[in-house]
PDB file of all heavy atoms in Angstrom:
ATOM      1  N   LYS A   1       8.788  -3.603   6.513  1.00 88.00           N
ATOM      2  CA  LYS A   1       7.809  -2.568   6.630  1.00 88.00           C
ATOM      3  C   LYS A   1       8.117  -1.576   7.758  1.00 88.00           C
ATOM      4  O   LYS A   1       7.938  -0.370   7.629  1.00 88.00           O
ATOM      5  CB  LYS A   1       6.437  -3.161   6.900  1.00 88.00           C
ATOM      6  CG  LYS A   1       5.845  -3.876   5.685  1.00 88.00           C
ATOM      7  CD  LYS A   1       4.414  -4.389   6.033  1.00 88.00           C
ATOM      8  CE  LYS A   1       3.846  -5.133   4.901  1.00 88.00           C
ATOM      9  NZ  LYS A   1       2.478  -5.665   5.185  1.00 88.00           N
ATOM     10  N   ARG A   2       8.635  -2.050   8.830  1.00 90.00           N
ATOM     11  CA  ARG A   2       8.831  -1.153   9.982  1.00 90.00           C
ATOM     12  C   ARG A   2      10.112  -0.329   9.739  1.00 90.00           C
ATOM     13  O   ARG A   2      10.190   0.735  10.153  1.00 90.00           O
ATOM     14  CB  ARG A   2       8.992  -2.020  11.238  1.00 90.00           C
ATOM     15  CG  ARG A   2       7.687  -2.740  11.566  1.00 90.00           C
ATOM     16  CD  ARG A   2       7.801  -3.889  12.600  1.00 90.00           C
ATOM     17  NE  ARG A   2       6.639  -4.779  12.520  1.00 90.00           N
ATOM     18  CZ  ARG A   2       5.604  -4.849  13.334  1.00 90.00           C
ATOM     19  NH1 ARG A   2       5.558  -3.925  14.335  1.00 90.00           N
ATOM     20  NH2 ARG A   2       4.609  -5.590  13.145  1.00 90.00           N
ATOM     21  N   GLU A   3      11.099  -0.927   9.021  1.00 90.00           N
ATOM     22  CA  GLU A   3      12.316  -0.141   8.669  1.00 90.00           C
ATOM     23  C   GLU A   3      11.910   0.982   7.704  1.00 90.00           C
ATOM     24  O   GLU A   3      12.448   2.036   7.796  1.00 90.00           O
ATOM     25  CB  GLU A   3      13.326  -1.090   8.022  1.00 90.00           C
ATOM     26  CG  GLU A   3      14.682  -0.395   7.807  1.00 90.00           C
ATOM     27  CD  GLU A   3      15.375  -0.081   9.139  1.00 90.00           C
ATOM     28  OE1 GLU A   3      15.133  -0.761  10.108  1.00 90.00           O
ATOM     29  OE2 GLU A   3      16.132   0.937   9.139  1.00 90.00           O
ATOM     30  N   LEU A   4      11.043   0.640   6.784  1.00 92.00           N
ATOM     31  CA  LEU A   4      10.522   1.717   5.855  1.00 92.00           C
ATOM     32  C   LEU A   4       9.886   2.869   6.623  1.00 92.00           C
ATOM     33  O   LEU A   4      10.088   4.022   6.295  1.00 92.00           O
ATOM     34  CB  LEU A   4       9.495   1.088   4.899  1.00 92.00           C
ATOM     35  CG  LEU A   4       8.858   2.085   3.889  1.00 92.00           C
ATOM     36  CD1 LEU A   4       9.905   2.656   2.958  1.00 92.00           C
ATOM     37  CD2 LEU A   4       7.705   1.334   3.150  1.00 92.00           C
ATOM     38  N   LEU A   5       9.077   2.538   7.629  1.00 93.00           N
ATOM     39  CA  LEU A   5       8.417   3.588   8.473  1.00 93.00           C
ATOM     40  C   LEU A   5       9.469   4.415   9.213  1.00 93.00           C
ATOM     41  O   LEU A   5       9.350   5.533   9.358  1.00 93.00           O
ATOM     42  CB  LEU A   5       7.407   2.973   9.343  1.00 93.00           C
ATOM     43  CG  LEU A   5       6.213   2.308   8.671  1.00 93.00           C
ATOM     44  CD1 LEU A   5       5.225   1.763   9.739  1.00 93.00           C
ATOM     45  CD2 LEU A   5       5.437   3.346   7.829  1.00 93.00           C
ATOM     46  N   LEU A   6      10.485   3.737   9.759  1.00 92.00           N
ATOM     47  CA  LEU A   6      11.522   4.467  10.454  1.00 92.00           C
ATOM     48  C   LEU A   6      12.214   5.464   9.537  1.00 92.00           C
ATOM     49  O   LEU A   6      12.571   6.551   9.956  1.00 92.00           O
ATOM     50  CB  LEU A   6      12.505   3.492  11.065  1.00 92.00           C
ATOM     51  CG  LEU A   6      12.047   2.678  12.253  1.00 92.00           C
ATOM     52  CD1 LEU A   6      13.032   1.567  12.500  1.00 92.00           C
ATOM     53  CD2 LEU A   6      11.932   3.557  13.456  1.00 92.00           C
ATOM     54  N   GLU A   7      12.416   5.094   8.308  1.00 93.00           N
ATOM     55  CA  GLU A   7      13.150   5.928   7.375  1.00 93.00           C
ATOM     56  C   GLU A   7      12.262   6.984   6.780  1.00 93.00           C
ATOM     57  O   GLU A   7      12.761   8.127   6.466  1.00 93.00           O
ATOM     58  CB  GLU A   7      13.745   5.063   6.211  1.00 93.00           C
ATOM     59  CG  GLU A   7      14.837   4.052   6.761  1.00 93.00           C
ATOM     60  CD  GLU A   7      15.324   3.181   5.631  1.00 93.00           C
ATOM     61  OE1 GLU A   7      14.778   3.252   4.507  1.00 93.00           O
ATOM     62  OE2 GLU A   7      16.204   2.354   5.957  1.00 93.00           O
ATOM     63  N   LYS A   8      10.986   6.689   6.561  1.00 93.00           N
ATOM     64  CA  LYS A   8      10.195   7.608   5.700  1.00 93.00           C
ATOM     65  C   LYS A   8       8.753   7.824   6.210  1.00 93.00           C
ATOM     66  O   LYS A   8       7.919   8.389   5.545  1.00 93.00           O
ATOM     67  CB  LYS A   8      10.024   7.017   4.272  1.00 93.00           C
ATOM     68  CG  LYS A   8      11.384   6.823   3.571  1.00 93.00           C
ATOM     69  CD  LYS A   8      11.114   6.261   2.151  1.00 93.00           C
ATOM     70  CE  LYS A   8      12.450   6.137   1.386  1.00 93.00           C
ATOM     71  NZ  LYS A   8      12.188   5.632   0.018  1.00 93.00           N
ATOM     72  N   PHE A   9       8.464   7.565   7.537  1.00 91.00           N
ATOM     73  CA  PHE A   9       7.142   7.768   8.029  1.00 91.00           C
ATOM     74  C   PHE A   9       6.577   9.144   7.815  1.00 91.00           C
ATOM     75  O   PHE A   9       5.403   9.309   7.442  1.00 91.00           O
ATOM     76  CB  PHE A   9       7.173   7.462   9.551  1.00 91.00           C
ATOM     77  CG  PHE A   9       5.804   7.826  10.263  1.00 91.00           C
ATOM     78  CD1 PHE A   9       4.778   6.942  10.200  1.00 91.00           C
ATOM     79  CD2 PHE A   9       5.683   9.068  10.834  1.00 91.00           C
ATOM     80  CE1 PHE A   9       3.554   7.295  10.771  1.00 91.00           C
ATOM     81  CE2 PHE A   9       4.443   9.415  11.438  1.00 91.00           C
ATOM     82  CZ  PHE A   9       3.376   8.484  11.385  1.00 91.00           C
ATOM     83  N   ASN A  10       7.351  10.241   7.971  1.00 91.00           N
ATOM     84  CA  ASN A  10       6.903  11.597   7.796  1.00 91.00           C
ATOM     85  C   ASN A  10       6.565  11.922   6.364  1.00 91.00           C
ATOM     86  O   ASN A  10       6.143  13.094   6.078  1.00 91.00           O
ATOM     87  CB  ASN A  10       7.917  12.544   8.394  1.00 91.00           C
ATOM     88  CG  ASN A  10       9.304  12.383   7.878  1.00 91.00           C
ATOM     89  OD1 ASN A  10       9.497  11.655   6.840  1.00 91.00           O
ATOM     90  ND2 ASN A  10      10.284  12.959   8.548  1.00 91.00           N
ATOM     91  N   ARG A  11       6.632  10.958   5.444  1.00 93.00           N
ATOM     92  CA  ARG A  11       6.250  11.185   4.076  1.00 93.00           C
ATOM     93  C   ARG A  11       5.028  10.364   3.673  1.00 93.00           C
ATOM     94  O   ARG A  11       4.750  10.106   2.458  1.00 93.00           O
ATOM     95  CB  ARG A  11       7.404  10.766   3.121  1.00 93.00           C
ATOM     96  CG  ARG A  11       8.706  11.607   3.326  1.00 93.00           C
ATOM     97  CD  ARG A  11       9.880  11.140   2.552  1.00 93.00           C
ATOM     98  NE  ARG A  11       9.533  11.188   1.128  1.00 93.00           N
ATOM     99  CZ  ARG A  11      10.341  10.735   0.178  1.00 93.00           C
ATOM    100  NH1 ARG A  11      11.536  10.115   0.490  1.00 93.00           N
ATOM    101  NH2 ARG A  11      10.038  10.762  -1.158  1.00 93.00           N
ATOM    102  N   PHE A  12       4.232   9.999   4.667  1.00 90.00           N
ATOM    103  CA  PHE A  12       3.094   9.103   4.368  1.00 90.00           C
ATOM    104  C   PHE A  12       2.042   9.770   3.497  1.00 90.00           C
ATOM    105  O   PHE A  12       1.270   9.125   2.839  1.00 90.00           O
ATOM    106  CB  PHE A  12       2.404   8.645   5.719  1.00 90.00           C
ATOM    107  CG  PHE A  12       1.872   9.710   6.574  1.00 90.00           C
ATOM    108  CD1 PHE A  12       0.642  10.342   6.229  1.00 90.00           C
ATOM    109  CD2 PHE A  12       2.442   9.987   7.751  1.00 90.00           C
ATOM    110  CE1 PHE A  12       0.138  11.303   7.026  1.00 90.00           C
ATOM    111  CE2 PHE A  12       1.956  11.029   8.586  1.00 90.00           C
ATOM    112  CZ  PHE A  12       0.712  11.730   8.228  1.00 90.00           C
ATOM    113  N   GLY A  13       2.044  11.066   3.422  1.00 89.00           N
ATOM    114  CA  GLY A  13       1.107  11.744   2.531  1.00 89.00           C
ATOM    115  C   GLY A  13       1.535  11.712   1.069  1.00 89.00           C
ATOM    116  O   GLY A  13       0.700  11.997   0.186  1.00 89.00           O
ATOM    117  N   LYS A  14       2.743  11.318   0.771  1.00 91.00           N
ATOM    118  CA  LYS A  14       3.290  11.370  -0.592  1.00 91.00           C
ATOM    119  C   LYS A  14       3.804  10.014  -1.071  1.00 91.00           C
ATOM    120  O   LYS A  14       3.790   9.771  -2.274  1.00 91.00           O
ATOM    121  CB  LYS A  14       4.464  12.396  -0.704  1.00 91.00           C
ATOM    122  CG  LYS A  14       4.086  13.776  -0.284  1.00 91.00           C
ATOM    123  CD  LYS A  14       5.325  14.691  -0.205  1.00 91.00           C
ATOM    124  CE  LYS A  14       4.923  16.085   0.254  1.00 91.00           C
ATOM    125  NZ  LYS A  14       6.169  16.966   0.285  1.00 91.00           N
ATOM    126  N   ASP A  15       4.240   9.181  -0.154  1.00 91.00           N
ATOM    127  CA  ASP A  15       4.794   7.888  -0.516  1.00 91.00           C
ATOM    128  C   ASP A  15       3.804   6.773  -0.306  1.00 91.00           C
ATOM    129  O   ASP A  15       3.361   6.480   0.774  1.00 91.00           O
ATOM    130  CB  ASP A  15       6.064   7.635   0.385  1.00 91.00           C
ATOM    131  CG  ASP A  15       6.912   6.529  -0.097  1.00 91.00           C
ATOM    132  OD1 ASP A  15       6.361   5.382  -0.353  1.00 91.00           O
ATOM    133  OD2 ASP A  15       8.204   6.672  -0.193  1.00 91.00           O
ATOM    134  N   ARG A  16       3.456   6.134  -1.438  1.00 93.00           N
ATOM    135  CA  ARG A  16       2.394   5.105  -1.288  1.00 93.00           C
ATOM    136  C   ARG A  16       2.884   3.852  -0.523  1.00 93.00           C
ATOM    137  O   ARG A  16       2.049   3.264   0.167  1.00 93.00           O
ATOM    138  CB  ARG A  16       2.004   4.681  -2.778  1.00 93.00           C
ATOM    139  CG  ARG A  16       1.163   5.769  -3.541  1.00 93.00           C
ATOM    140  CD  ARG A  16       0.806   5.240  -4.855  1.00 93.00           C
ATOM    141  NE  ARG A  16       0.022   6.252  -5.614  1.00 93.00           N
ATOM    142  CZ  ARG A  16      -0.470   6.029  -6.859  1.00 93.00           C
ATOM    143  NH1 ARG A  16      -0.303   4.881  -7.467  1.00 93.00           N
ATOM    144  NH2 ARG A  16      -1.220   6.984  -7.432  1.00 93.00           N
ATOM    145  N   GLN A  17       4.111   3.526  -0.664  1.00 94.00           N
ATOM    146  CA  GLN A  17       4.689   2.416   0.050  1.00 94.00           C
ATOM    147  C   GLN A  17       4.542   2.639   1.560  1.00 94.00           C
ATOM    148  O   GLN A  17       4.171   1.763   2.371  1.00 94.00           O
ATOM    149  CB  GLN A  17       6.079   2.129  -0.269  1.00 94.00           C
ATOM    150  CG  GLN A  17       6.267   1.439  -1.613  1.00 94.00           C
ATOM    151  CD  GLN A  17       7.734   1.085  -1.871  1.00 94.00           C
ATOM    152  OE1 GLN A  17       8.629   1.820  -1.672  1.00 94.00           O
ATOM    153  NE2 GLN A  17       7.928  -0.142  -2.307  1.00 94.00           N
ATOM    154  N   VAL A  18       4.832   3.841   2.015  1.00 93.00           N
ATOM    155  CA  VAL A  18       4.723   4.221   3.379  1.00 93.00           C
ATOM    156  C   VAL A  18       3.239   4.107   3.896  1.00 93.00           C
ATOM    157  O   VAL A  18       2.884   3.588   4.915  1.00 93.00           O
ATOM    158  CB  VAL A  18       5.332   5.587   3.687  1.00 93.00           C
ATOM    159  CG1 VAL A  18       5.061   6.029   5.125  1.00 93.00           C
ATOM    160  CG2 VAL A  18       6.805   5.671   3.373  1.00 93.00           C
ATOM    161  N   ALA A  19       2.366   4.667   3.007  1.00 93.00           N
ATOM    162  CA  ALA A  19       0.935   4.651   3.376  1.00 93.00           C
ATOM    163  C   ALA A  19       0.437   3.248   3.464  1.00 93.00           C
ATOM    164  O   ALA A  19      -0.301   2.913   4.390  1.00 93.00           O
ATOM    165  CB  ALA A  19       0.144   5.443   2.320  1.00 93.00           C
ATOM    166  N   GLU A  20       0.913   2.401   2.542  1.00 94.00           N
ATOM    167  CA  GLU A  20       0.434   0.990   2.533  1.00 94.00           C
ATOM    168  C   GLU A  20       0.897   0.227   3.801  1.00 94.00           C
ATOM    169  O   GLU A  20       0.186  -0.548   4.450  1.00 94.00           O
ATOM    170  CB  GLU A  20       0.875   0.314   1.355  1.00 94.00           C
ATOM    171  CG  GLU A  20       0.527  -1.224   1.292  1.00 94.00           C
ATOM    172  CD  GLU A  20      -0.950  -1.434   1.448  1.00 94.00           C
ATOM    173  OE1 GLU A  20      -1.745  -0.650   0.983  1.00 94.00           O
ATOM    174  OE2 GLU A  20      -1.308  -2.532   2.012  1.00 94.00           O
ATOM    175  N   ALA A  21       2.167   0.528   4.244  1.00 93.00           N
ATOM    176  CA  ALA A  21       2.678  -0.069   5.447  1.00 93.00           C
ATOM    177  C   ALA A  21       1.937   0.390   6.683  1.00 93.00           C
ATOM    178  O   ALA A  21       1.636  -0.471   7.558  1.00 93.00           O
ATOM    179  CB  ALA A  21       4.174   0.325   5.583  1.00 93.00           C
ATOM    180  N   ILE A  22       1.480   1.631   6.708  1.00 93.00           N
ATOM    181  CA  ILE A  22       0.716   2.145   7.831  1.00 93.00           C
ATOM    182  C   ILE A  22      -0.685   1.442   7.849  1.00 93.00           C
ATOM    183  O   ILE A  22      -1.175   1.011   8.986  1.00 93.00           O
ATOM    184  CB  ILE A  22       0.519   3.665   7.682  1.00 93.00           C
ATOM    185  CG1 ILE A  22       1.834   4.388   7.972  1.00 93.00           C
ATOM    186  CG2 ILE A  22      -0.591   4.178   8.670  1.00 93.00           C
ATOM    187  CD1 ILE A  22       1.840   5.878   7.777  1.00 93.00           C
ATOM    188  N   ARG A  23      -1.260   1.278   6.684  1.00 94.00           N
ATOM    189  CA  ARG A  23      -2.587   0.599   6.647  1.00 94.00           C
ATOM    190  C   ARG A  23      -2.422  -0.877   7.010  1.00 94.00           C
ATOM    191  O   ARG A  23      -3.243  -1.418   7.837  1.00 94.00           O
ATOM    192  CB  ARG A  23      -3.138   0.696   5.239  1.00 94.00           C
ATOM    193  CG  ARG A  23      -3.601   2.108   4.881  1.00 94.00           C
ATOM    194  CD  ARG A  23      -4.388   2.091   3.494  1.00 94.00           C
ATOM    195  NE  ARG A  23      -4.643   3.432   3.014  1.00 94.00           N
ATOM    196  CZ  ARG A  23      -3.983   4.102   2.081  1.00 94.00           C
ATOM    197  NH1 ARG A  23      -2.888   3.532   1.580  1.00 94.00           N
ATOM    198  NH2 ARG A  23      -4.315   5.333   1.722  1.00 94.00           N
ATOM    199  N   SER A  24      -1.430  -1.563   6.514  1.00 91.00           N
ATOM    200  CA  SER A  24      -1.342  -2.986   6.767  1.00 91.00           C
ATOM    201  C   SER A  24      -1.066  -3.349   8.220  1.00 91.00           C
ATOM    202  O   SER A  24      -1.420  -4.367   8.777  1.00 91.00           O
ATOM    203  CB  SER A  24      -0.256  -3.624   5.838  1.00 91.00           C
ATOM    204  OG  SER A  24       0.998  -3.051   6.147  1.00 91.00           O
ATOM    205  N   LEU A  25      -0.310  -2.422   8.889  1.00 92.00           N
ATOM    206  CA  LEU A  25       0.027  -2.634  10.305  1.00 92.00           C
ATOM    207  C   LEU A  25      -1.041  -2.013  11.202  1.00 92.00           C
ATOM    208  O   LEU A  25      -0.898  -2.215  12.419  1.00 92.00           O
ATOM    209  CB  LEU A  25       1.443  -2.011  10.585  1.00 92.00           C
ATOM    210  CG  LEU A  25       2.639  -2.728   9.905  1.00 92.00           C
ATOM    211  CD1 LEU A  25       3.921  -1.891  10.175  1.00 92.00           C
ATOM    212  CD2 LEU A  25       2.769  -4.135  10.396  1.00 92.00           C
ATOM    213  N   ASN A  26      -1.975  -1.311  10.695  1.00 93.00           N
ATOM    214  CA  ASN A  26      -3.006  -0.615  11.461  1.00 93.00           C
ATOM    215  C   ASN A  26      -2.348   0.372  12.402  1.00 93.00           C
ATOM    216  O   ASN A  26      -2.653   0.454  13.577  1.00 93.00           O
ATOM    217  CB  ASN A  26      -3.916  -1.575  12.261  1.00 93.00           C
ATOM    218  CG  ASN A  26      -5.166  -0.968  12.727  1.00 93.00           C
ATOM    219  OD1 ASN A  26      -5.695  -0.117  12.108  1.00 93.00           O
ATOM    220  ND2 ASN A  26      -5.554  -1.412  13.887  1.00 93.00           N
ATOM    221  N   VAL A  27      -1.437   1.212  11.940  1.00 93.00           N
ATOM    222  CA  VAL A  27      -0.840   2.273  12.735  1.00 93.00           C
ATOM    223  C   VAL A  27      -1.753   3.496  12.814  1.00 93.00           C
ATOM    224  O   VAL A  27      -1.962   4.078  11.743  1.00 93.00           O
ATOM    225  CB  VAL A  27       0.576   2.589  12.158  1.00 93.00           C
ATOM    226  CG1 VAL A  27       1.238   3.709  12.944  1.00 93.00           C
ATOM    227  CG2 VAL A  27       1.457   1.385  12.003  1.00 93.00           C
ATOM    228  N   LYS A  28      -2.168   3.820  13.914  1.00 95.00           N
ATOM    229  CA  LYS A  28      -3.190   4.929  14.061  1.00 95.00           C
ATOM    230  C   LYS A  28      -2.531   6.161  14.731  1.00 95.00           C
ATOM    231  O   LYS A  28      -3.080   7.209  14.645  1.00 95.00           O
ATOM    232  CB  LYS A  28      -4.342   4.487  14.869  1.00 95.00           C
ATOM    233  CG  LYS A  28      -5.173   3.393  14.162  1.00 95.00           C
ATOM    234  CD  LYS A  28      -5.835   4.023  12.891  1.00 95.00           C
ATOM    235  CE  LYS A  28      -6.695   2.994  12.174  1.00 95.00           C
ATOM    236  NZ  LYS A  28      -7.988   2.770  12.927  1.00 95.00           N
ATOM    237  N   TYR A  29      -1.364   5.962  15.427  1.00 95.00           N
ATOM    238  CA  TYR A  29      -0.789   7.059  16.200  1.00 95.00           C
ATOM    239  C   TYR A  29       0.705   6.994  16.003  1.00 95.00           C
ATOM    240  O   TYR A  29       1.280   5.981  15.536  1.00 95.00           O
ATOM    241  CB  TYR A  29      -1.108   6.963  17.681  1.00 95.00           C
ATOM    242  CG  TYR A  29      -2.580   7.129  18.041  1.00 95.00           C
ATOM    243  CD1 TYR A  29      -3.447   6.129  17.899  1.00 95.00           C
ATOM    244  CD2 TYR A  29      -3.027   8.331  18.383  1.00 95.00           C
ATOM    245  CE1 TYR A  29      -4.862   6.280  18.235  1.00 95.00           C
ATOM    246  CE2 TYR A  29      -4.386   8.589  18.753  1.00 95.00           C
ATOM    247  CZ  TYR A  29      -5.242   7.527  18.625  1.00 95.00           C
ATOM    248  OH  TYR A  29      -6.576   7.730  18.932  1.00 95.00           O
ATOM    249  N   VAL A  30       1.396   8.113  16.364  1.00 95.00           N
ATOM    250  CA  VAL A  30       2.844   8.143  16.398  1.00 95.00           C
ATOM    251  C   VAL A  30       3.307   8.869  17.623  1.00 95.00           C
ATOM    252  O   VAL A  30       2.667   9.800  18.102  1.00 95.00           O
ATOM    253  CB  VAL A  30       3.429   8.860  15.170  1.00 95.00           C
ATOM    254  CG1 VAL A  30       2.891  10.233  14.939  1.00 95.00           C
ATOM    255  CG2 VAL A  30       4.974   8.804  15.149  1.00 95.00           C
TER     256      VAL A  30
END
């Protein structure tokens, strides 16, 4: 999940996998 965010975090508005990783880890800031 963290590797996915490193590679694609800036696509959280389009990529559902990235969005789900953010929700599951409770990432609120960058």
Side-chain angles (χ1 to χ4, degrees):
K1 288 182 181 180
R2 298 167 198 256
E3 188 66 31
L4 176 66
L5 293 179
L6 287 168
E7 295 175 359
K8 299 181 179 181
F9 172 82
N10 50 17
R11 299 176 57 186
F12 63 74
K14 303 175 182 179
D15 191 312
R16 291 184 178 181
Q17 284 186 311
V18 174
E20 178 55 31
I22 290 174
R23 292 189 185 98
S24 64
L25 293 174
N26 196 33
V27 181
K28 294 296 184 71
Y29 294 83
V30 57

